[in-house]
C-alpha cells in the first residue's frame, strides 16, 4: 500500500475511533509516484431494479467504499466507475457488458445473477477484459481465463453445511430440501449431498423445487412447501436470497417452526429487517460475518457502518475485495496498464488480507477461504447474524 493510502486509512481509523491497521499485500517499498498516472475506467455490473436490487446496491457500496479509502484510485490511477444494469436474464447481462466494453473499460466487476454470469462468459472471454465477479459464481463456470470471482462457489456453501449437519442431525431425523429452480440450486444440493452422504436416509427424499421468481407473491411457495413437509421433516435445508428469501421464510413459518439451515444469503442484508422474528434461530453457512474479529474487518465494518448506516453484508465485502485485488493487480502492471496485463497480474497477487480473513485465488480463479456458521439472534431491537464457529476451509 502506498504512503498516501496508508495515511488515508489511518486518518479514517482515527475518525472512526478504531485502532490498528494491517495493510493488504505489498508494502511501502512498492510505492511509485502516482500523480501523473492516467485515469482508468472500471465497469460495474449490477441489477438496478427488481428483487435482487438490494444485493446490487451492496455490491456498489462495497466497491465505492474501497475507492473512498484509497483516494478514489486503483493501483495509483484515478478511477472512473461506469455502471450498467445486468437485468435478470443472460440477454440483458450481455447487453450491459457490451455497453461497458464499448466505453473502453480496463476491467469489469459485479454480477449478481448466476444465469447472467453464465450468459456473459463467452463475451468476456472473447473481449479479453478481466471480470472480477463479486457474487454470482456457478460451479459450471469452468476453464475461464478472464473471469475471476471474489465471492465463493455455490457448492461450497452446501458442503460446509452438509459436513456440519451430518454430525448434528439425530439419527432418526429427516431433512426436507427446498430450492428454487435456477442455475445455482443444483450446485448447492450437490455440495450438501456430497458431504452429508448421498445414501444417507435422512436426506433420501427428492428435492422440492419451487419457482425461481425473484419477486414472488404471498402464496408463490405455499403448494411446494406443503409438498416438502408431507413427510414430517425435523429440519429444512433451503437456498433463497433477496425478496424471494423474505417471502419463502414467511410462507414456510406458517407451516413449520423447526430448524432451518441455508447458505447465508437467506438472511443477508435487508432480509432480516423484513423477517424480524420469523428469522430467529435460522442457521446459515457463509464466507463472512460482520462480527469477525480481525483488523481488516474492524476497518471495513466500521467504515461501512459510518458511511451507509447499516451492517455490511458478504455482497459488500466481496465487492470491496474485488476492488482490492484490482488495486493490487493494476499496481503490479506499472504506469500504463491494459486489460491483458491486469489479467496476468491477478494471478500474481498472492494472499489477500480481507475482512473475511486471509484468502487467495485457487487454480479455478475462485477464493480458497474459510466458511463460518452463523445464527440469527436478537441484538437489542434488531436481528443479527451472530458468528457461532468456523465450519471449514474450502476452495
Amino acid at each position: 500500500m502506498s504512503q498516501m493510502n496508508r495515511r488515508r486509512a489511518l486518518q479514517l481509523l482515527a475518525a472512526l475511533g478504531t485502532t490498528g491497521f494491517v495493510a493488504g499485500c505489498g508494502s511501502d517499498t512498492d510505492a511509485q509516484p502516482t500523480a501523473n498516472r492516467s485515469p482508468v475506467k472500471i465497469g460495474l455490473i449490477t441489477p438496478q431494479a427488481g428483487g435482487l436490487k438490494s444485493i446490487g446496491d451492496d455490491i456498489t457500496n462495497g466497491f465505492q467504499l474501497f475507492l473512498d479509502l484509497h483516494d478514489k484510485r486503483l493501483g495509483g490511477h484515478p478511477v472512473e466507475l461506469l455502471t450498467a444494469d445486468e437485468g435478470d436474464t443472460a440477454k440483458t447481462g450481455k447487453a450491459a457488458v457490451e455497453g461497458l466494453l464499448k466505453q473502453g473499460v480496463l476491467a469489469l466487476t459485479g454480477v449478481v445473477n448466476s444465469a447472467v454470469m453464465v450468459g456473459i462468459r463467452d463475451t468476456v472471454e472473447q473481449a479479453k477484459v478481466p471480470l472480477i465477479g463479486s457474487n454470482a459464481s456457478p460451479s459450471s463456470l469452468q476453464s475461464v481465463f478472464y473471469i475471476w470471482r471474489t465471492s465463493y462457489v455455490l457448492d461450497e456453501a452446501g458442503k460446509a453445511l452438509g459436513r456440519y449437519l451430518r454430525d448434528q442431525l439425530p439419527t432418526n431425523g429427516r431433512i426436507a430440501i427446498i430450492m428454487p429452480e435456477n442455475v445455482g440450486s443444483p450446485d448447492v444440493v450437490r455440495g450438501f449431498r456430497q458431504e452429508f452422504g448421498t445414501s444417507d436416509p435422512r436426506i433420501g427424499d427428492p428435492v422440492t423445487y419451487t419457482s425461481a421468481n425473484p419477486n414472488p407473491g404471498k402464496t408463490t411457495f405455499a403448494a411446494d412447501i406443503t409438498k416438502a413437509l408431507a413427510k414430517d421433516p425435523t429440519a429444512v435445508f433451503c437456498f433463497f436470497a433477496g425478496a424471494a428469501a423474505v417471502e419463502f421464510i414467511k410462507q414456510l413459518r406458517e407451516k413449520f417452526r423447526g430448524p432451518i439451515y441455508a447458505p447465508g444469503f437467506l438472511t443477508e442484508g435487508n432480509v432480516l429487517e423484513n423477517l424480524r422474528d420469523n428469522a430467529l434461530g435460522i442457521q446459515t453457512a457463509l464466507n463472512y460475518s460482520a462480527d469477525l474479529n480481525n483488523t481488516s474487518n474492524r476497518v471495513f465494518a466500521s467504515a461501512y457502518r459510518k458511511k451507509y448506516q447499516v451492517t455490511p453484508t458478504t455482497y459488500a465485502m466481496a465487492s470491496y475485495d474485488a476492488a482490492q485485488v484490482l488495486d493490487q493487480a493494476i499496481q503490479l502492471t506499472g504506469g500504463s496498464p491494459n486489460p491483458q496485463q491486469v489479467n496476468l497480474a491477478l494471478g500474481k497477487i498472492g494472499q489477500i488480507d480481507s475482512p473475511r480473513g486471509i484468502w487467495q485465488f485457487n487454480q479455478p480463479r475462485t477464493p480458497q477461504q474459510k466458511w463460518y456458521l452463523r445464527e440469527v439472534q436478537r441484538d437489542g431491537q434488531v436481528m443479527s447474524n451472530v458468528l457461532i464457529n468456523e465450519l471449514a476451509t474450502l476452495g
Side-chain angles (χ1 to χ4, degrees), residues 166-239:
R166 178 187 62 201
D167 300 326
Q168 293 294 316
L169 195 70
T171 55
N172 61 347
R174 181 180 293 274
I175 297 177
I177 302 177
I178 311 176
M179 301 272 155
E181 194 167 11
N182 60 21
V183 172
S185 289
D187 291 343
V188 176
V189 173
R190 183 179 62 256
F192 183 79
R193 287 186 179 277
Q194 179 180 326
E195 291 298 324
F196 194 98
T198 54
S199 61
D200 194 308
R202 294 176 293 176
I203 55 169
D205 293 337
V207 177
T208 299
Y209 284 104
T210 74
S211 166
N213 187 343
N215 292 290
K218 296 186 181 301
T219 60
T220 298
F221 304 115
D224 292 318
I225 289 172
T226 298
K227 178 182 176 181
L229 299 179
K231 294 191 177 181
D232 195 26
T234 52
V236 166
F237 175 57
C238 58
F239 169 58

Side-chain angles (χ1 to χ4, degrees), residues 249 253 267 271-272 275-282 376 383:
I249 293 300
R253 285 302 197 196
T267 59
V271 172
L272 282 183
L275 284 175
R276 300 196 61 78
D277 285 356
N278 280 324
L280 280 173
I282 294 177
V376 178
M383 299 298 160

Side-chain angles (χ1 to χ4, degrees), residues 54 70 73 91 127 211 236 256 268 310 338 360 379:
S54 63
H70 294 78
R73 291 172 178 260
K91 183 178 180 180
S211 166
V236 166
F256 181 78
E268 276 293 273
V310 294
N338 64 44
Q360 62 186 26
D379 183 9

